[in-house]
Amino acid sequence: MNKYSIAEFIKNTEQVDRGEGFFELETPRLLEVNLDGLVWAKAGSMVAYEGSIKFVREGILENGLGAMFKKAFTGEGASLMKANGQGKLYLADSGKKIIILHLQNEAIYVNGNDLLAFEPSIKHQIKLMRKVAGMMAGGLFNIRCEGTGLVAITAHYEPLTLRVTPGKPVITDPNATVAWSGNLQPEFQTDISLKTFVGRGSGESIQMRFEGDGFVIVQPYEETYMQVQS
């Protein structure tokens, strides 16, 4: 068979059932959800589906009045949808790499832009980074996922996990920070010296400082959803 034929292309790229369960990575950047009920997913992340599936955007009052105000403040970045039904659902987000995590009565904070999907057994809550509301425009939120079940997050390129241990804090660029363990509460700090570097203009003068015992996941890429206000 000709290696450039349509038949060969289909053979090399067609969907394959691997029997991995509810979440299955079809490719490093495309998530298959074997749906028989409900899944939460990032709004706009559906690229294809088979079967009978209905999509409903998260109701503005679904998580209470407080969540409504948070949504109004944070904009569309944290918008979620519910997919309900039976079939195969394919999710992706701007070609970012997908990481599947199985929480076992655990909690993790995920940057609101990097949460792709999670099982309904996982409780989620939008958290505002209030202390930097006056300094930063956009990207001021993260989502706390807690419980037992699967969570899919995304990262540009290959993620790196840094361990945080007592007495050895980890400082990160907010634009490159993907997720961190649920017991850590980052503080924000400014570095005046970095303001002299124009560079990419992505706000390196604002940093996240993690102290305690846990981990933080970063990516080798700075997303521009978080900017220093002029």
Side-chain angles (χ1 to χ4, degrees), residues 30-197:
L30 204 153
L31 178 70
E32 177 185 283
V33 183
N34 292 296
L35 193 60
D36 185 13
L38 173 69
V39 69
W40 284 94
K42 183 175 183 178
S45 62
M46 185 277 289
V47 295
Y49 71 90
E50 301 173 359
S52 178
I53 301 174
K54 291 185 177 180
F55 300 90
V56 179
R57 197 179 187 88
E58 183 181 23
I60 196 166
L61 290 174
E62 184 151 349
N63 291 308
L65 192 61
M68 180 185 75
F69 287 117
K70 288 177 183 177
K71 281 183 177 297
F73 186 84
T74 59
E76 294 299 307
S79 294
L80 297 169
M81 65 180 181
K82 290 186 288 186
N84 204 343
Q86 291 183 321
K88 293 184 181 296
L89 171 62
Y90 299 95
L91 304 174
D93 184 14
S94 302
K96 294 161 71 176
K97 187 169 183 178
I98 298 169
I99 303 110
I100 299 173
L101 301 173
H102 186 194
L103 302 189
Q104 300 180 61
N105 196 26
E106 297 167 298
I108 187 172
Y109 286 98
V110 184
N111 185 294
N113 200 48
D114 299 321
L115 181 62
L116 181 63
F118 54 92
E119 288 192 90
S121 58
I122 297 293
K123 296 179 181 178
H124 71 284
Q125 185 178 10
I126 297 174
K127 299 283 188 178
L128 285 180
M129 301 178 185
R130 299 180 186 278
K131 292 186 178 180
V132 291
M135 294 184 287
M136 309 294 285
L140 299 175
F141 62 93
N142 52 71
I143 301 176
R144 180 181 171 89
C145 296
E146 185 173 10
T148 297
L150 295 171
V151 177
I153 66 176
T154 59
H156 286 278
Y157 309 108
E158 302 297 327
L160 174 69
T161 300
L162 301 171
R163 289 302 305 258
V164 181
T165 57
K168 293 185 177 181
V170 172
I171 292 87
T172 67
D173 181 334
N175 291 318
T177 305
V178 174
W180 58 93
S181 48
N183 60 310
L184 296 181
Q185 297 291 333
E187 294 291 332
F188 285 82
Q189 65 183 33
T190 58
D191 189 327
I192 302 300
S193 64
L194 282 175
K195 289 184 177 180
T196 62
F197 293 93

